[in-house]
Amino acid sequence: MVKLRSRKLFKTSSKAGICGGEGGGKCRREIEWELRPGGMLVQKRETIGTDESKGMINVRVSTGLRWLHISISATATFGELKVMVAMETGLEPREQRLLFKGKEKEDGDHLHMVGVKEGDKVLLLEDPAIKERKLRSIGIAMKAMEIKGSCPAAIPA
């Protein structure tokens, strides 16, 4: 049989700022909780830093030719990041593929849940299927222009 030494180990307090009267500097404070997007209830982290404490992070996005520095909420989704990137590049969100740590992320994935932190790099690629469709439509338009230009009925008399 095991006897527990003290029941104090199992007691918790929800009162803020109560200090033990014995001295020794032991103060208890209320634990703050937050609900994550996945539905998990966790203890709120204490962040150090001005931007992180406000919930904003700076993400570096590499387009291949240049770097974009985007300030976005830490709890935002990759879909929201795509919208921010679209404003900078002109590339529509459905045409973008965002990679973080070598893996493509879905639009519904939250930045903080996959581990994106202040100053992390995200790689932007153009979706190859949509890029191919664009090139085909441009090619078809060019051929139509050539056919229209060589047709004798199109030349005014």
Side-chain angles (χ1 to χ4, degrees), residues 104-116:
E104 184 177 358
K105 299 301 175 185
E106 297 295 323
D107 289 351
D109 292 343
H110 290 267
L111 299 174
H112 71 287
M113 297 294 279
V114 296
V116 178

Side-chain angles (χ1 to χ4, degrees), residues 47 50-57 72-76:
T47 56
T50 56
D51 289 339
E52 288 182 319
S53 64
K54 295 178 186 173
M56 299 296 284
I57 58 172
I72 192 165
S73 171
T75 58

Side-chain angles (χ1 to χ4, degrees), residues 91-97 126-142:
L91 193 63
E92 291 185 33
R94 63 181 176 83
E95 299 172 354
Q96 300 174 16
R97 292 174 57 199
E126 188 174 354
D127 191 2
I130 293 176
K131 189 175 185 178
E132 185 179 333
R133 277 189 239 140
K134 276 185 181 179
L135 291 175
R136 277 191 189 153
S137 65
I138 290 171
I140 291 170
M142 294 297 285

Side-chain angles (χ1 to χ4, degrees), residues 74-86:
T75 58
T77 62
F78 277 90
E80 293 168 357
L81 180 60
K82 283 183 178 183
V83 171
M84 299 287 284
V85 170

Side-chain angles (χ1 to χ4, degrees), residues 60-78:
R60 297 180 305 147
V61 180
S62 172
T63 63
L65 300 174
R66 63 184 179 142
W67 287 92
L68 303 172
H69 296 278
I70 296 177
S71 181
I72 192 165
S73 171
T75 58
T77 62
F78 277 90

